[in-house]
Amino acid sequence: MRSGDLILQTMSKVVFFIIILFSIHLFFEGHYRPGGGFVGGLMTSGAIILLLLAYDIKTVKKIIPFDFKWLIAVGLFISVVTAGGSLLFNVPFFTHVHDYFNIPLLGKTSLHTAALFDLGVFFVVVGVTLTIIQTIGESE
Amino acid sequence: MTGILEFVVLAFILIGAFFSLVAAIGVVRLPDVYTRNHAASKSATLGVMFILIGTFLYFAAEGHTNTRLILAIVFIFLTSPVGGHLINRAAYYTGVNMWDQSVRDDLREKVGYGKRKSPEDTGGKIS
């Protein structure tokens, strides 16, 4: 395959940020509207796959310089800590709490520990998808 | 939602549906990959954008400003022509012949290789 299509590379630079922003948007509105960690993670990995298509694997490794298998581990760790942390407060496993906080710029915001669990799902989905794609792509 | 805005939304959605229909007819009727892609990538993009603008206006009139629709309009406007370009480029470099009555192929002199045959070589047959 001929690489180095200037139109595709320039456009993917612009479109990458739109997709990433939209995936973060999907991730954060998952509690009240359709969205959440799974779709957000898939869309983030879709944005990175777009970079993989426009450039080659070495360039993307230079842009994102860590192993995606670590993302799976970090995501699982976050999820387990979120779920197991409830045991420290003498409530059943997986009990979530939420409360309202006054954040300087955002005003009164409800923060929920389910968002942390969703962050773990997000990391695992990104890690698994990109590991699969990279493993298939690198094998000659 | 009353008054003139209803007609504006109606016009946008009908124009969008019309352009999508024109794109579909063009894909069926035109002779080769390049002209078909020309119809699909231009007309369908405009049609979908018109439909999305109509949808945005409809919900904006009811008080829901859906910014995702604006994002979708910009996104389709950016990406759909690039998709058409890539399909055309892949077709050209894998040797898909042009329509037998096409007369110019400037890229062939620039690229200079490939299995492609120009219309003169094949005697006007699409293989």
Side-chain angles (χ1 to χ4, degrees), chain B residues 38-39 46 58-59 61 80 96 101 106 110 112 116 119 125-126:
Chain B
H38 162 80
L46 193 64
Y58 179 82
F59 284 110
S80 174
V96 177
Q101 288 176 35
D106 286 344
K110 293 280 183 189
R116 266 194 85 265
K125 275 181 195 155
I126 303 174

Side-chain angles (χ1 to χ4, degrees), chain A residues 93-131:
Chain A
F93 187 62
F94 248 114
T95 308
H96 287 300
V97 288
H98 75 280
D99 204 355
Y100 293 94
F101 295 96
N102 271 320
I103 299 176
L105 278 177
L106 300 173
K108 190 183 175 192
T109 316
S110 88
L111 295 182
H112 203 297
T113 50
L116 284 176
F117 183 76
D118 230 13
L119 187 70
V121 174
F122 183 92
F123 279 160
V124 171
V125 169
V126 173
V128 167
T129 319
L130 288 174
T131 308

Side-chain angles (χ1 to χ4, degrees), chain A residues 3-139:
Chain A
S3 63
D5 187 357
L6 188 64
I7 295 178
L8 177 63
Q9 289 183 349
T10 312
M11 194 48 73
S12 62
K13 271 182 216 161
V14 179
V15 160
F16 176 76
F17 292 103
I18 298 180
I19 303 177
I20 287 284
L21 275 181
F22 188 63
S23 74
I24 294 171
H25 171 74
L26 274 181
F27 170 74
F28 277 116
E29 74 171 358
H31 198 69
Y32 296 108
R33 278 194 255 164
F38 187 76
V39 190
L42 274 184
M43 197 159 242
T44 303
S45 50
I48 297 172
I49 289 166
L50 177 70
L51 281 188
L52 276 173
L53 284 177
Y55 300 91
D56 51 354
I57 273 184
K58 275 179 194 162
T59 317
V60 175
K61 268 188 179 165
K62 205 181 288 176
I63 296 171
I64 308 168
F66 51 84
D67 196 352
F68 291 118
K69 289 194 273 303
W70 279 100
L71 268 187
I72 308 176
V74 168
L76 283 177
F77 180 74
I78 291 174
S79 296
V80 166
V81 165
T82 312
S86 60
L87 291 176
L88 295 178
F89 300 98
N90 277 332
V91 286
F93 187 62
F94 248 114
T95 308
H96 287 300
V97 288
H98 75 280
D99 204 355
Y100 293 94
F101 295 96
N102 271 320
I103 299 176
L105 278 177
L106 300 173
K108 190 183 175 192
T109 316
S110 88
L111 295 182
H112 203 297
T113 50
L116 284 176
F117 183 76
D118 230 13
L119 187 70
V121 174
F122 183 92
F123 279 160
V124 171
V125 169
V126 173
V128 167
T129 319
L130 288 174
T131 308
I132 291 173
I133 298 285
Q134 262 195 348
T135 317
I136 295 173
E138 271 176 345
S139 66

